[in-house]
Amino acid sequence: MLLHRSTCRSKKFIFGLIAFIVLVPSIPLSYADRVIDVQTVANVREQSLLAVISDIQNYPQIFPDNVRYVKLLNNQTNLVDMNAGINGVFFDTQAVYQQSPNGTYTVQVISGDLKGTTLTTELNKTWGFDGAPRMGTMANISLDLKASGFLSWMLSFVPDSSLSYALQNGIGKFVDYAQQN
């Protein structure tokens, strides 16, 4: 009787292992595909804020805990290589950035687990906090997050509210940097 239970457990374990080996590779690699939109008003001139956002090589100074380095690989295509992360988990990725004449700044990730992710920031002049016209900036930020591999699994546990907070915090750091410089 004891030998029969042991054999049944072994068969169940082997069957479970085979099912795991067969099913896991069939699960699509891309799980995370979300869009997060944030709007905020900053008490800094639009041009000052745009200058800080578009100077991607200063990101390690602006975000010292999250960006280890940014290297410009191609000045004509605005291709950059960066090492970024959060809570000690860092990854290498390449991105292309562009600035349009209407004040929109876009970063598109072209490699790694975040390939296809796009961050678009549209800046518009507004009233400053002291009531002065055109001395403030309204920022509309849209994150189209696409993730694959291990990162998609990790991001499945992150609520949209945390991503919105991260975007708000990020624009806040840009504003602080623009006000100091």
Side-chain angles (χ1 to χ4, degrees), residues 2 10-11 53 59 64 81-82 118-119 122 141 148 179:
L2 189 57
S10 296
K11 287 180 182 179
I53 290 172
Y59 284 18
D81 182 44
M82 69 183 342
T118 304
L119 178 66
E122 181 183 342
I141 305 158
S148 63
Q179 290 173 336

Side-chain angles (χ1 to χ4, degrees), residues 108-135:
Q108 182 175 14
V109 179
I110 61 170
S111 72
D113 285 350
L114 290 174
K115 183 178 180 179
T117 295
T118 304
L119 178 66
T120 304
T121 305
E122 181 183 342
L123 303 176
N124 296 299
K125 293 176 184 158
T126 190
W127 296 87
F129 289 178
D130 62 356
R134 306 175 73 83
M135 297 300 283

Side-chain angles (χ1 to χ4, degrees), residues 149-169:
F150 178 68
L151 191 56
S152 68
W153 177 79
M154 286 177 44
L155 286 172
S156 69
F157 297 105
V158 178
D160 288 354
S161 60
S162 293
L163 294 173
S164 293
Y165 174 79
L167 289 174
Q168 289 279 1
N169 189 42

Side-chain angles (χ1 to χ4, degrees), residues 58-124:
N58 273 338
Y59 284 18
Q61 287 78 34
I62 299 168
F63 304 100
D65 296 332
N66 303 101
V67 180
R68 289 185 177 162
Y69 67 81
V70 176
K71 296 176 187 172
L72 183 61
L73 298 177
N74 187 321
N75 202 22
Q76 292 178 329
T77 62
N78 295 328
L79 175 65
V80 296
D81 182 44
M82 69 183 342
N83 181 268
I86 190 165
N87 293 334
V89 179
F90 286 85
F91 51 93
D92 292 316
T93 192
Q94 291 185 341
V96 177
Y97 65 92
Q98 64 184 26
Q99 182 179 337
S100 66
N102 70 350
T104 300
Y105 184 76
T106 304
V107 177
Q108 182 175 14
V109 179
I110 61 170
S111 72
D113 285 350
L114 290 174
K115 183 178 180 179
T117 295
T118 304
L119 178 66
T120 304
T121 305
E122 181 183 342
L123 303 176
N124 296 299

